[in-house]
Amino acid sequence: MTIYLDHNATTPVDPLVLEAMWPWFRDNVANASSVHALGRRARSVVDAARADVAAIVGAEAREIVFTSGATESDNLALKGVLEAAPRGRRRILVGSTEHKAVLDTADWLSRRGAEVVLVPVTSDGLVDVDAYLELLDERVALVSIMLANNETGVIAPLRLIAEAAHEVGAIVHTDATQAVGKMDVDFADLGVDLASWSAHKMYGPKGTGALYVARRTRIVATMHGGGHEFGLRSGTSNVPAIVGFGAASVHGRVTHDESSRQGALIERLVSSLSSRLSGVHQIGISAPRLSNTACIRFVGADAEAVMVNAPVVAMSSGSACTARFPSPSHVLLAMHLDADAASECLRFSVGRSTSDGDIDLAIQHVVEAVERVRSFGTCQARTWDVSEERSIV
Ligand code: PLP
């Protein structure tokens, strides 16, 4: 038995999504670029999926570029904008709690002449707006700030961030991987130029995602070939996956009622754990957050050890005392937690299939595990090497 509380890592594929994909593996295997009838048919379902994917984020179909997922979309956004930027704009502002898909890409660019500046966050994980505004000037080519954080669920004040960036002529990218499908998202309304996300975080298949590219955004391709996806991402279209992404945009969206139900499950999880155990703190508690996510610190209990002692609960920690190079989560460090506190945090993320019974069982297993870990003490010889971070997906 496993209680799956790791929906921010990935979600199960919705049966309706699977059903929509199946014929494109079995009945029509044509290349969507082929001009024969089967090819044209494949092309038409790719176009239909593009319209469905666009609709969920308030975009036009023409603004959706299919990729292999958010990692690729983040890479294309950062590298493609910097490559196209005018000579005097070599600076990129990147949130300090971004996913590694953004941070590592920014790091790669910094080794090729870009000036990368990390935007600090408050202890609640929100962008430090004063510090951010100070960093903005005409040298900034791109600002990349995620919409919702994968570890804490904290939601950024993106409209404000985008407005300020546009005042100095910078392009705005957001990693919206954790937001799309879980909350209402309209990229035009938020004022962002580029946005990345993945189908598998919203009950769709793995290995497909999108980059939203608002019209007139200055960006060039980083992968060249057949000129697919409006010339921005060459490579034969993954028709079954794209069809699945389209279906997930229709069937995988969490409704407002479902979002409230998930919020109630998370609240009960946090309040029961807090009443049954001492030293329980929710991270980012004062910030707006995704309803399905809680990052919880259990003081004096190493998170990895708690996971080992509660094997039936699938949850995530940002550190590993058994890993060769154990390290605390960069997200939690950026939120001013020290390395030991960060090593005591676990992320719980519920989804559509999570029941009240799952939460009851998870509470029981986690309480017992935390008590056991606290009574024995666990993580031996913990030496943090911040350069070798593991991160939560
Ligand atoms: N960005 C965020 C915020 C994520 O949570 C993830 C998931 O791991 C990614 C990017 C990368 O997504 P993918 O592995 O689908 O490319």
Side-chain angles (χ1 to χ4, degrees), residues 8 69-71 74 99 101 146 148 150 175 177-178 198 200-201 393:
N8 285 9
T71 300
D74 287 342
H99 191 271
M146 71 202 314
N150 47 309
D175 181 335
T177 310
Q178 295 294 342
S198 278
H200 73 98
K201 308 280 188 182
V393 287

Side-chain angles (χ1 to χ4, degrees), residues 339-362:
D340 286 334
S343 74
E344 295 170 346
C345 294
L346 282 164
R347 177 191 69 189
F348 302 86
S349 49
V350 301
R352 296 194 310 194
S353 59
T354 312
S355 66
D356 275 313
D358 289 336
I359 296 299
D360 291 337
L361 272 175

Side-chain angles (χ1 to χ4, degrees), residues 10-11 21 51 89 94 101 113 130 174 245 274 276 313 354 389:
T10 196
T11 52
M21 291 172 69
R89 289 191 187 260
V94 173
D130 291 338
T174 190
F245 191 9
S274 307
R276 294 180 55 180
V313 186
T354 312
E389 288 166 6

Side-chain angles (χ1 to χ4, degrees), residues 7-322:
H7 288 80
N8 285 9
T10 196
T11 52
V13 175
D14 185 302
L16 292 171
V17 169
L18 205 52
E19 207 177 292
M21 291 172 69
W22 192 226
W24 302 96
F25 286 115
R26 188 189 50 198
D27 305 331
N28 184 348
V29 298
N31 189 317
S33 299
S34 295
V35 290
H36 50 68
L38 285 178
R40 290 202 305 278
R41 176 86 192 100
R43 176 62 187 252
S44 75
V45 289
V46 167
D47 290 343
R50 199 185 302 282
D52 288 336
V53 168
I56 193 178
V57 293
E60 294 169 31
R62 177 68 179 76
E63 295 173 312
I64 301 299
V65 171
F66 287 123
T67 64
S68 64
T71 300
E72 185 188 328
S73 300
D74 287 342
N75 271 263
L76 172 55
L78 270 68
K79 294 174 185 170
V81 165
L82 206 74
E83 183 68 26
R87 225 171 245 238
R89 289 191 187 260
R90 307 310 298 162
R91 184 181 283 183
I92 312 179
L93 304 187
V94 173
S96 49
T97 58
E98 295 300 304
H99 191 271
K100 289 288 181 177
V102 166
L103 289 175
D104 286 357
T105 306
D107 184 48
W108 185 88
L109 285 166
S110 77
R111 282 179 270 118
R112 280 154 189 82
E115 187 200 347
V116 175
V117 184
L118 291 184
V119 181
V121 296
T122 64
S123 56
D124 266 321
L126 288 166
V127 164
D128 179 334
V129 175
D130 291 338
Y132 168 65
L133 295 177
E134 283 275 301
L135 292 168
L136 278 177
D137 63 28
E138 269 70 27
R139 287 169 296 179
V140 179
L142 180 74
V143 170
S144 183
I145 303 280
M146 71 202 314
L147 183 48
N149 185 270
N150 47 309
E151 293 189 32
T152 60
V154 168
I155 299 169
L158 213 58
R159 201 172 286 117
L160 180 156
I161 288 165
E163 262 173 32
H166 286 156
E167 271 173 31
V168 298
I171 290 175
V172 179
H173 167 252
T174 190
D175 181 335
T177 310
Q178 295 294 342
V180 178
K182 295 193 184 106
M183 57 185 262
D184 290 337
V185 173
D186 184 319
F187 292 133
D189 185 48
L190 286 171
V192 300
D193 306 295
L194 299 158
S196 310
W197 74 107
S198 278
H200 73 98
K201 308 280 188 182
M202 46 184 292
Y203 305 93
K206 294 170 180 60
T208 188
L211 181 66
Y212 160 81
V213 184
R215 280 170 183 271
R216 287 183 286 281
T217 302
R218 208 169 153 154
I219 181 169
V220 294
T222 54
M223 190 145 67
H224 305 96
H228 307 74
E229 298 298 316
F230 315 112
L232 265 182
R233 199 278 188 178
S234 288
T236 300
S237 303
N238 184 349
V239 178
I242 288 172
V243 167
F245 191 9
S249 303
V250 176
H251 305 295
R253 194 177 185 157
V254 171
T255 61
H256 288 165
D257 283 353
E258 173 57 17
S259 178
S260 307
R261 188 191 74 88
Q262 292 182 10
L265 292 178
I266 283 289
E267 262 176 45
R268 195 159 68 76
L269 176 75
V270 176
S271 64
S272 297
L273 290 171
S274 307
S275 65
R276 294 180 55 180
L277 292 164
S278 59
V280 173
H281 306 296
Q282 188 171 3
I283 308 300
I285 187 143
S286 312
R289 271 171 293 110
L290 294 172
S291 69
N292 82 315
T293 309
C295 179
I296 304 176
R297 178 181 175 203
F298 300 94
V299 177
D302 182 86
E304 198 80 7
V306 174
M307 285 176 64
V308 170
N309 279 276
V312 298
V313 186
M315 49 198 168
S316 284
S317 82
S319 62
C321 63
T322 49

Side-chain angles (χ1 to χ4, degrees), residues 359-375:
I359 296 299
D360 291 337
L361 272 175
I363 291 165
Q364 184 190 319
H365 284 278
V366 172
V367 166
E368 284 170 14
V370 170
E371 283 171 343
R372 204 170 308 132
V373 171
R374 280 179 176 165
S375 69

